[in-house]
Amino acid sequence: MRPSHIEAPRQAPVSLPPVPVRPRAGAARWYGPVSVCVDAAGAALPVAAAIVEVQEPHPLRLAAVAAVLWPLTRVAGRRYTPSAWGDGGGLRAVLGDWLLLVGALATLRVLCGLGSVPAEAFTALIPALALTAVCHKVIHRHLLAARRDGRALRPAVVVGAAPTVDAVVEQLAQRTDHEHVIVGSCPVGDDEVLSGVPVYRRLSREMPVDPGQDAAAVLGAVDELSAELVFVVPGPQMSGERLRWLSWALHDRGHQLVVVPGVVDVARRRVRLTSAAGLTMLHVVPPLRRGVPVLAKAVMDRVGALLLLALLAPLFLVLTLAVRLGSPGPAFYRQIRVGRHNTRFPMWKFRTMVVGADRLKAGLEAANENDGHMFKMRRDPRVTPLGRVLRRYSLDELPQLFNVLLGHMSLVGPRPPVPEEVAEYNEVEMRRLHVKPGLTGLWQVSGRSDLSWHETVALDLRYVDNWTLAGDLNVVARTARAVLDGQGAY
């Protein structure tokens, strides 16, 4: 988890151009009707066919019940909302809804005296699961494309101290997979807003005698900028009492208020709200570090590495011969890397550079294309012709399966750094070493060497704090596509 407050570095502001916001209506009008029709058809048609096949009575009635229950189950779970369509992790929700549907249909059959669910009818419900998942994915991708194009966005005004206004704007501008765009601000105090977002009116540092002054300024910004939301970042000047008065004014006018607590890169599943003595409390669950999930990850690592080594043994032999014949030197390259808890271990790769490449690195430091502690060159002269091919498709990384088998690494995790990089780490960057490094990870499937150092660290910290087994499986699935694409591999 990152620091619990948002504060932008005042010495290095990022000036952001105004974001053109296109009308939100019309961008998602067809999502709901299409989703409902796909869900109803996916449940009704296969069930009707199965009931007819087993010659049970009332096939149309049973199909109609399935066609109604499936969308109703989705409605109860609030699956037909923009927030649900914007959530890329919808498969787990679809599966949970589907199991609820199966249980509901089985219960109805027993209550109606029809006996247990026939195996054919149960199997016929599987298309509903598949069609709904595919439909959700299609809508999700269409929505993301619309957001990248400046559509399906919700304009918002941000209220808070100028540094926190800058931080919120910059944090939201880093990604395009959300629906929010800041169109104006009401900073507290006289500090300059450096992010380039328009300042509508400033609020006093102290809570005014008449709380209506805050409301008039913020409501004026909302009306003039046609904003749908108001983001408020609490701080010393924006106290709970002041925020309370502002929320009353906004809610009386039918506007939505969003309180930004400043906690970043924390998965939604780790957050829950509680209250005590009138205080609203935000509980953040610690990252998974022990228990059954951690044990399951260790088993998956060892078993997965062993199976892959057995399956890829012929490829290992071919690549070993190719590297030996391609250039003078051994087939494998051994390098010391840093793992969990700053523990060093020997990592193995297929050799992709000329022998003695480490000694030549000092003369190439000026050509480093990475803005952080890593050394990366798009056209590194030390890389052999065969090495370029191996790197493009990540074949040089395959010997690290032995490191996974030995427990030095995991199948999924942050990129394993070299000791020279770790020596330059600050306290935040050292958190990358709280888990085992991985053969693949968010860095590898999100652009690899094309990412900046800041982006690399942000992805690794997101993984360290929020990893789950389901997330690991998702990364493994995305790795195949990233390897075939070869983007950022050099």
Side-chain angles (χ1 to χ4, degrees):
M1 185 174 65
R2 303 270 286 279
S4 59
H5 65 282
I6 293 182
E7 185 167 350
R10 307 301 288 167
Q11 69 275 17
V14 177
S15 182
L16 301 173
V19 179
V21 182
R22 305 181 187 181
R24 185 169 181 248
R29 285 178 180 174
W30 58 271
Y31 292 172
V34 167
S35 295
V36 173
C37 290
V38 168
D39 289 348
L45 298 180
V47 168
I51 296 298
V52 170
E53 180 68 23
V54 298
Q55 298 181 348
E56 282 210 6
H58 313 302
L60 293 181
R61 293 182 185 178
L62 294 174
V65 170
V68 172
L69 274 182
W70 185 219
L72 284 179
T73 303
R74 305 281 291 162
V75 168
R78 299 181 59 81
R79 311 304 183 195
Y80 300 128
T81 62
S83 60
W85 291 317
D87 184 4
L91 182 58
R92 183 184 302 175
V94 172
L95 181 59
D97 292 343
W98 184 80
L99 292 174
L100 186 60
L101 171 68
V102 172
L105 289 175
T107 302
L108 282 176
R109 286 184 60 86
V110 173
L111 293 177
C112 295
L114 298 177
S116 60
V117 182
E120 293 82 355
F122 177 82
T123 306
L125 291 172
I126 295 179
L129 172 64
L131 287 174
T132 298
V134 170
C135 181
H136 179 94
K137 196 66 176 179
V138 169
I139 291 177
H140 173 68
R141 291 193 174 186
H142 184 275
L143 182 57
L144 291 186
R147 289 173 178 174
R148 286 193 294 268
D149 196 33
R151 295 177 287 114
L153 298 176
R154 303 187 69 185
V157 170
V158 61
V159 179
T164 61
V165 169
D166 290 334
V168 169
V169 173
E170 293 169 18
Q171 186 77 18
L172 291 175
Q174 289 178 9
R175 298 175 62 174
T176 59
D177 57 354
H178 58 83
E179 63 179 349
H180 306 299
V181 57
I182 304 300
V183 295
S185 66
C186 292
V188 179
D190 300 324
D191 291 339
E192 184 181 1
V193 176
L194 303 175
S195 57
V197 66
V199 175
Y200 178 79
R201 189 178 299 173
R202 294 183 178 274
L203 308 184
S204 63
R205 290 187 180 275
E206 303 296 331
M207 182 174 176
V209 177
D210 179 10
Q213 295 179 13
D214 285 350
V218 176
L219 288 172
V222 170
D223 293 338
E224 182 171 322
L225 301 172
S226 300
E228 296 185 23
L229 298 169
V230 175
F231 287 176
V232 178
V233 187
Q237 290 82 35
M238 185 53 66
S239 63
E241 184 66 19
R242 193 174 186 181
L243 177 59
R244 187 187 191 194
W245 279 98
L246 181 58
S247 70
W248 286 344
L250 289 170
H251 292 158
D252 288 345
R253 286 278 299 273
H255 297 301
Q256 296 186 34
L257 172 69
V258 178
V259 179
V260 183
V263 180
V264 296
D265 281 339
V266 175
R268 190 185 310 171
R269 61 174 178 80
R270 293 178 53 207
V271 178
R272 64 183 178 90
L273 288 174
T274 61
S275 62
L279 292 175
T280 300
M281 301 180 180
L282 190 69
H283 286 247
V284 181
V285 178
L288 290 172
R289 293 287 186 266
R290 58 179 63 87
V292 175
V294 177
L295 178 61
K297 178 180 174 68
V299 172
M300 184 176 71
D301 285 340
R302 303 296 175 88
V303 174
L306 189 61
L307 290 176
L308 287 173
L309 285 170
L311 291 173
L312 298 176
L315 180 60
F316 268 80
L317 180 59
V318 171
L319 294 179
T320 300
L321 294 174
V323 174
R324 287 296 302 270
L325 297 175
S327 62
F332 296 96
Y333 172 69
R334 178 181 180 274
Q335 187 180 39
I336 297 299
R337 294 293 180 108
V338 181
R340 186 183 182 189
H341 300 323
N342 210 8
T343 303
R344 300 188 179 191
F345 66 93
M347 190 187 77
W348 295 92
K349 302 175 66 175
F350 281 114
R351 182 175 58 83
T352 59
M353 292 185 174
V354 297
V355 175
D358 290 340
R359 296 191 299 270
L360 302 175
K361 180 180 176 181
L364 299 172
E365 289 290 350
N368 185 12
E369 299 176 17
N370 189 271
D371 61 345
H373 306 316
M374 291 188 295
F375 179 86
K376 289 292 180 181
M377 283 183 65
R378 196 174 298 272
R379 296 291 181 184
D380 196 324
R382 301 172 298 167
V383 180
T384 65
L386 176 61
R388 297 190 188 282
V389 177
L390 296 180
R391 287 184 169 214
R392 178 170 180 79
Y393 297 105
S394 299
L395 296 174
D396 60 319
E397 312 283 354
L398 291 180
Q400 292 169 34
L401 288 170
F402 288 104
N403 290 112
V404 176
L405 194 60
L406 293 172
H408 302 143
M409 297 176 59
S410 175
L411 289 177
V412 181
R415 186 191 65 87
V418 296
E420 292 79 11
E421 294 176 19
V422 176
E424 302 293 330
Y425 279 4
N426 58 32
E427 186 176 352
V428 173
E429 294 162 347
M430 286 296 291
R431 284 191 62 84
R432 300 174 74 242
L433 306 180
H434 281 211
V435 299
K436 289 181 181 180
L439 179 63
T440 185
L442 291 178
W443 180 79
Q444 290 88 336
V445 301
S446 303
R448 288 187 272 191
S449 298
D450 286 343
L451 298 176
S452 67
W453 175 248
H454 173 78
E455 292 170 327
T456 300
V457 173
L459 287 172
D460 285 344
L461 293 183
R462 190 177 306 156
Y463 178 84
V464 169
D465 288 341
N466 301 304
W467 84 268
T468 61
L469 283 177
D472 278 4
L473 294 175
N474 179 264
V475 170
V476 170
R478 292 168 58 189
T479 298
R481 178 180 176 183
V483 168
L484 293 175
D485 180 63
Q487 182 179 357
Y490 51 84

